[in-house]
Amino acid sequence: MPIVTLDQQPIFFERHNQHTAEAALPPVLFIHGAGGTCLQWPPQARRLPQVDVYAVDLPGHARSPAPGRATIAAYSDLLLKLTDQLALPPFVAVGHSMGGAIALEMALCAPARLAGLVLVGTGASLRVNPALLVGIRDEFDATTAQLVEWMYAAKLTAKAHERALTQLRATPPAVLYDDFAACAAFDRRDKVATIKAPTLIICGAADKMTPVKWSESLHQAIDHSHLHIVEGAGHMVMVEKPKVVTDLLANFVTTLTITE
């Protein structure tokens, strides 16, 4: 399985369609959210035709061992090192929730590295109720159960609920705490208007964790951005409406070209 060692730490990623490395479309890097994994991106999105796709497990998540990172900037720095080590041309950063914050940070810190930006269920500031951090630290099981309830627009089947809960609880409590603490400290509202990369913004209409108004604010701030609000979806819009999100992403990427 593909692993890159960065800062003496192994980082796992999936790569698909590598035979298209010389194609005209830029590669895509998928960045999951707090307590997530690369597998939360739909299989059809991770296998976009004619696109070289990378989907990473952030440190401390799934197949990438702990420790995680305590700030969005630290995650951004790590992923920029990853793309440098992989010798990627300018790429499309696709981030969900905390991953969207990481993608925003990458666009601000290294604008020449990005061919495009896709922000899914995120914001330029990610406010977190302090009670949630206390709950992750002191009542991990109850708090993770509540998080799963908040993440989806519709009530999950028992099997899907158990799968989502098992996946979330597989993240070490200290890593999950740091993820949400990093989100709470993140605020780039004063800089987001400087982003020049072509930007697609996607949000579930029933998102309880990163409300639609946060995506609307991103759209208002970023010139030439496109906003799509997906009905019948919550925070996990790419899981609840995989075809809609994949089609939006595929259509967006085909408007871009590799620039050196």
Side-chain angles (χ1 to χ4, degrees), residues 14-211:
E14 289 189 355
R15 185 182 180 190
H16 298 282
N17 300 329
Q18 51 261 52
H19 59 281
T20 65
E22 301 303 320
L25 298 176
V28 169
L29 175 68
F30 283 108
I31 313 166
H32 64 74
T37 88
C38 70
L39 297 180
Q40 290 177 328
W41 297 104
Q44 56 266 56
R46 287 182 276 126
R47 292 167 176 81
L48 288 176
Q50 304 306 312
V51 178
D52 197 17
V53 176
Y54 299 79
V56 65
D57 282 339
L58 294 171
H61 301 76
R63 291 160 285 186
S64 295
R69 297 293 184 271
T71 66
I72 299 300
Y75 276 127
S76 169
D77 180 66
L78 179 107
L79 291 186
L80 287 170
K81 290 178 181 177
L82 172 68
T83 60
D84 286 345
Q85 188 155 326
L86 296 173
L88 295 190
F91 58 91
V92 181
V94 183
H96 171 245
S97 196
M98 181 182 77
I102 296 166
L104 276 171
E105 188 70 16
M106 295 168 80
L108 291 170
C109 294
R113 298 289 292 118
L114 267 64
L117 185 61
V118 181
L119 305 172
V120 183
T122 193
S125 172
L126 296 176
R127 295 184 294 278
V128 174
N129 189 322
L132 179 60
L133 293 172
V134 173
I136 292 171
R137 185 190 65 205
D138 296 342
E139 299 180 19
F140 185 75
D141 285 354
T143 302
T144 48
Q146 183 63 72
L147 280 169
V148 169
E149 295 294 330
W150 287 336
M151 286 178 179
Y152 295 87
K155 186 174 179 62
L156 297 174
T157 65
K159 184 176 180 179
H161 184 276
E162 184 61 28
R163 183 169 58 245
L165 192 57
T166 298
Q167 179 272 307
L168 182 61
R169 287 177 177 168
T171 306
V175 172
L176 189 63
Y177 180 94
D178 282 348
D179 279 357
F180 279 96
C183 290
F186 178 74
D187 189 345
R188 292 298 238 157
R189 287 174 292 180
D190 62 334
K191 297 293 185 183
V192 70
T194 67
I195 291 175
K196 302 303 181 188
T199 302
L200 171 65
I201 303 165
I202 302 171
C203 186
D207 192 330
K208 300 183 183 74
M209 297 190 68
T210 53

